[in-house]
Amino acid sequence: MKHDGRRWWRNLCQMVGLMLVCLLAPAWAQVQPRVAIESVTGSLQSGVEVVRIDLSQALTAVPEGFSIQSPARIALDFPNASSAIGRSNVEVNQGNLRSISVVPSGERTRVVLNLKQFTSYKTQLQGKSLLVVLDAVAGAAPPVAAQVFAEGQARRGEPLRDVDFRRGDDGAGRVVVSLPNKDVGVDIRQQGQTLVVEFMHTSLPEGLRRKIDVADFGTPVKTVTTFQTGDRVRMVIEPQGQWVQSAYQSDSQFVVEVKPARMDGGKPSEGFGYTGEKLSLNFQNIEVRSLLQVIADFTNFNVITSDSVSGALTLRLQDVPWDQALDIILQAKGLGMRKTGNVIWIAPKDEISAKEKLELESAAALQGLEPLRTQSFQMNYTKATEVAAQLTASTGGTTNSAGARLLSARGSVIAEARTNQLFVTDIPSKLEQVQQLIAKLDIPARQVLIEARIVEASDTFGKSLGVKLGATDLRAQQGGDGGYAVGGGNRVAFGTNYGNAIASSGAGGTVDTSGAFVNLPAIGQGGYNPATFALSIFSSAANRFLNLELSALEAGGRGVGVWGPRLVGAPQSKALIEQGTELPYQVASASGATAIAFRKANLKLEVTPQITPEGNIILALDVNKDTVGQSTAAGFAINTKHIQTQVLVENGGTVVIGGIFEMTENDSETKVPVLGDLPGVGNLFKSRARVANKQEMLVFITPKVLADKAVR
């Protein structure tokens, strides 16, 4: 019993000791010393601004940090650290440094340097202190400095594995270089209009020493040239146009991305829709989860990172929007994100796709289990049969295809034409969609009044002048001697033609008193004959005559014809109005038989209106103005005038959609050669005519949107 008592007492002491250890362990952990920030000061040393951060104990590594361009800030995160300064803000106002903020947050403390102008910085550990050296801010923009992605710790002369070019979905050109390892030093700088990338202490295999022409990819990159120079490999990227570049390294893969610059106010701006605040990141072999935490702290977004997100990343970004930086990080590690409000969930793309697929499959399964409901819809302005056809319509060919119609696979619709109602049977969510669709379809259509004016104006003028000149000798016909003696018993007879000359000589025949030497009378105008004036000179015996007849006519006229068809139509619906005559004509069939067909000679206005969101009206017009023409052996011809066009007109405005102008001018002269050219007297041997006709047709269109009431 004594021995058992001792054993019991010993076990009890051990249990009590164990309990004390468990209870006091958190206390011991709490009293373990943490790094404390004791003081923060800023000073100028040889013209260089230096920020000195004194700590309670020396750091083993330089704290991670990032910079912001606007407002200009530099942030440094001290893990497992606290603040012993006693205040959160230290005013400096010296040089480029405004103030220093020390903000504890959980297990870490952030030191923020508030700058006047954005600048780069360097950090250096010195005992228990951390020195932050700010670069000088020049008055002019300094040349683009080389971006160093690694310190070049690789073994000398290791060859590059591969050089590839790819086109991004956003039109960016990506040059992908496979490095021998992640410690290869890489420098990138802009030289003129080209990008120069150098890989330190590496070699280039013969198969990769080439110039790649990538202009056909449709990116800003034109050529990529890679060659060996000394102990390094140099790559020259030649872009074209306006562009921006970024570069990042993921393990042993280095990527240079060149994107076209979006013009904003005549100046190139970066990215495609990136609007986030700009920041600068410079990390080497940092955990992706830690890098995402930096982005979350900068943006004040809630970031949820999946447990499957892992790996490290070497990244240097200079003055890029934070959303672009996040996009680059996600692309480098094959990650995707879903954003809901101010919460961003980041996971591998396959995981996001699988989750979205699972959600969709679950929703589809629930739809198959939901109870069906029947709801009626009263159609007021549209036909129920047309809406039912739209609800069950399919673009895939079958009218009952569940994937191409609005209703679910179990849904059905009945259209009742007498009462113009729809009866839809489906799950509640689909009924809500049908109700929203009907609310947009079953609305009164706004009416459009289209007034047309077809105006035809004509101006005609015609003038003609003519003459008839003749002579008659009746002496031989009346028993005397005809003709005129020319000596030796010879005589000469004259006549208006050969027969009159013989009759005038007395050789037989009858003299034609209506004959004329010159027969050039005036031409009729407008269906009217010219006026005439005759003069006759004859002998005392009335057996010899000299006749002169003058004819002249002048005609002019003006006419205006106006046709004004008008009609009312609904938007996106064809409206037609026409008036005229149908003319019959014979047509022959293939068998040889003939039949009577009709052709229209009418005035037609065909229009399809469309009302724009701005209140203007788009009109698709087809205007015909036909008239009956001259008669032919096959029937009457049809004179047609046709205009077909599409115009945009303001509400109530008038536009001239077309017109036809015809002008005919004709001057003619008929004369007897030589005699008609004689001065003065030559007018007795010529005829003149002049015609000047003008005709014009204009088509005016005036559309007007009617008020939402019945058309009267």
Side-chain angles (χ1 to χ4, degrees), residues 110-126:
R110 174 171 293 178
V111 177
V112 181
L113 308 182
N114 301 311
L115 308 177
K116 299 178 182 178
Q117 299 183 33
F118 177 80
T119 185
S120 57
Y121 69 97
K122 299 178 182 178
T123 56
Q124 180 182 353
L125 292 175
Q126 192 177 82

Side-chain angles (χ1 to χ4, degrees), residues 270-283:
E270 307 165 24
F272 294 88
Y274 296 122
T275 59
E277 193 174 3
K278 292 185 178 181
L279 56 76
S280 298
L281 300 174
N282 185 6
F283 297 106

